[in-house]
Amino acid sequence: MTDTFDADVLVVGLGPVGATAANLAHDLGLRVVALDRATQVEPRPRAIGLDQEAMRVFAGLGLADAIAPHVMPYRPSEYHNADGRVIRRIGTAPPPHPLGWAPNYVFLQPQLEGALRQRLERCPDVEVLLGTEVTDVRLDDGVARVEATDLSGRNRTLRAPYVLACDGGASPLRTGLGLDMRDLEFDEPWLVVDVLLHSGAGQDLPRTNVQYCETARPSTFVVGPGNLRRWEFMINPGEDPEEVSREDFVRGLLSRWLDAGEYDLWRASSYRFHALVLRQWRAGRLFFLGDAAHMTPPFLAQGMCQGIRDASNLLWKLALHLRGVAEEPLLDTYQREREPHVRQVTLAAKELGRIICERDDAAAAARDAELLGELAARPEGIVRQSLIPGLAEGFLAPVGYPTRGELLPQPTVTDVRGKEDLLDAFTGSTFRLVVRHDVDASAVERAVSAHRASGGFPLRLVRMTTEGTPARPDEYRETEPVLDEWMRRRSCAAVLARPDHYVFGGARSADDVASLLDSADRQLRPWAHHLSDPPSPEGGAA
């Protein structure tokens, strides 16, 4: 980048999404300036759930050990009707887990954010400006200018090619531009209560998470890590959100489960649970991520996860474009990929909310009968991760290529030195061509050599085996054949995985690898892949 820029990307907002985006940008070799108007991490919890995709991102940042004391695998969920009868179960898939991590976790948000912030402080080429509020953004053809003011009143103009708005649901950057949110028609007032149990208390509390589908007052109970327990209560018509947040009212609600002397009240806050999706996720050099781009009801514990996916999806694309490896159209795949995914997850959460929030007794009775019928047919219930889709469009191989848009599994593997770890620990988060051990190695190597000779995108060759000792640095043996079985079920000899672990596409044979790589390169560099094919006057290949 030129010296006229203060950074390659400016990140506005340092909640978990902004802090993740800033860390990813650094690891991709970008210079970062990150701003937040607060001076420290919010000390109270807000989000409480994260999933295997988010955990994979945090592990890729080297934070798995740092956050381990503050996370716990998510308990299964039961839905109880007004009579206390179980009408639905939502569980998790048994191990071996396909992404190497438990499908879902509960966590302590202040500690997670603290770990992300501390990592940023250790990163060169990252400047963190706390207590700094953005007052204006100007988006020109060649540069984005951000006007910011710190607590002392000092003004500063920051310049960068791109700005990431991670400034939350109220997003001053979004509202300042007058951008509209699409309403998916869910708007309900709830009270969220976090308590810390005293030692030995809470022995009679449920051991699993419970949705109390009671028409009088729908509510939720979540087992948090350590001694944290969360309740969420629907606010009834006519109740004032401020009044129901008062300590005496909250303790009255909790008296159904706990005596007042069994816990400390950590926080009680009222919210409106929304289902909203931004119509326009990009305004020139400004991109919106996390709650600034979408808001999801909490019934699937996907609110923060959606934003982590945003960061994971966008940052590698920005890095490739800023390095000249990819052209501008790649950046437009951000919304093309993320918006349909967000909509589907949000609608799934909304549907769960519809079940939980039913207030009409007759409709609730019909709901109970329907769900009890489903439970009788499938007593184990549904698996939470089955509700999370893959990618359907964007930077993907053409329709017909296997595995396009799926997540690349991550087995535990052993390398040539005998070291054992999850696959990402060895291969990192770059483009990876993952090849089965019984595939014609010479054909794959010819395709990879030709790709590299043509100046194609950076690519790592990963050879997988299920037996024996790895013989070369790019070979790995699976402890359990998670990836091998996944590829065989999809008739794949090789798959091309993107830096965000989504699969660009698969090759059914070694002879198909060259066309797979060519398809990816043509999408990244539509005119540069074949120097003999200059752009036509209309902007396409001649």
Side-chain angles (χ1 to χ4, degrees), residues 4-6 10 134-148 156-163 173 285:
T4 60
F5 292 129
D6 297 285
L10 301 175
V134 172
T135 57
D136 189 32
V137 176
R138 286 171 286 161
L139 305 171
D140 301 325
D141 288 341
V143 62
R145 292 180 175 84
V146 169
E147 302 292 337
R156 184 172 175 182
T157 300
L158 298 163
R159 296 168 295 274
Y162 295 101
V163 178
L173 295 185
R285 296 184 170 274

Side-chain angles (χ1 to χ4, degrees), residues 55-71:
M55 193 64 187
R56 191 173 188 178
V57 171
F58 298 142
L61 296 173
L63 294 177
D65 290 341
I67 67 176
H70 313 296
V71 302

Side-chain angles (χ1 to χ4, degrees), residues 61-145:
L61 296 173
L63 294 177
D65 290 341
I67 67 176
H70 313 296
V71 302
M72 181 186 78
Y74 206 87
R75 302 279 178 91
S77 294
E78 293 182 351
Y79 287 50
H80 294 185
N81 67 4
D83 297 326
R85 189 173 182 183
V86 176
I87 57 175
R88 166 173 272 193
R89 291 189 177 92
I90 299 182
T92 58
H97 299 307
L99 301 193
W101 299 99
N104 296 89
Y105 295 87
V106 287
F107 74 103
L108 297 175
Q109 184 171 342
Q111 285 75 9
L112 172 65
E113 283 192 45
L116 287 164
R117 294 269 190 101
Q118 289 166 20
R119 188 181 190 274
L120 284 178
E121 293 171 1
R122 301 191 297 268
C123 291
D125 293 326
V126 174
E127 183 180 7
V128 176
L129 302 176
L130 301 178
T132 302
E133 186 165 7
V134 172
T135 57
D136 189 32
V137 176
R138 286 171 286 161
L139 305 171
D140 301 325
D141 288 341
V143 62
R145 292 180 175 84

Side-chain angles (χ1 to χ4, degrees), residues 302-378:
Q302 281 290 308
M304 187 190 77
C305 299
Q306 301 266 58
I308 300 302
R309 288 192 194 94
D310 293 345
S312 181
N313 182 290
L314 178 60
L315 266 300
W316 66 269
K317 296 174 180 178
L318 279 175
L320 287 185
H321 178 59
L322 288 168
R323 290 196 205 107
V325 177
E327 297 185 16
E328 180 76 18
L330 180 66
L331 302 183
D332 292 327
T333 66
Y334 168 58
Q335 181 171 355
R336 284 178 58 204
E337 293 176 2
R338 290 295 304 129
E339 183 181 4
H341 192 284
V342 162
R343 284 176 59 86
Q344 188 168 338
V345 171
T346 302
L347 290 173
K350 176 186 168 183
E351 176 59 20
L352 295 180
R354 183 192 65 81
I355 293 171
I356 297 161
C357 297
E358 181 57 64
R359 308 304 297 265
D360 180 81
D361 289 334
R367 171 204 65 197
D368 294 353
E370 179 182 352
L371 293 181
L372 285 168
E374 294 176 3
L375 192 62
R378 191 174 180 178

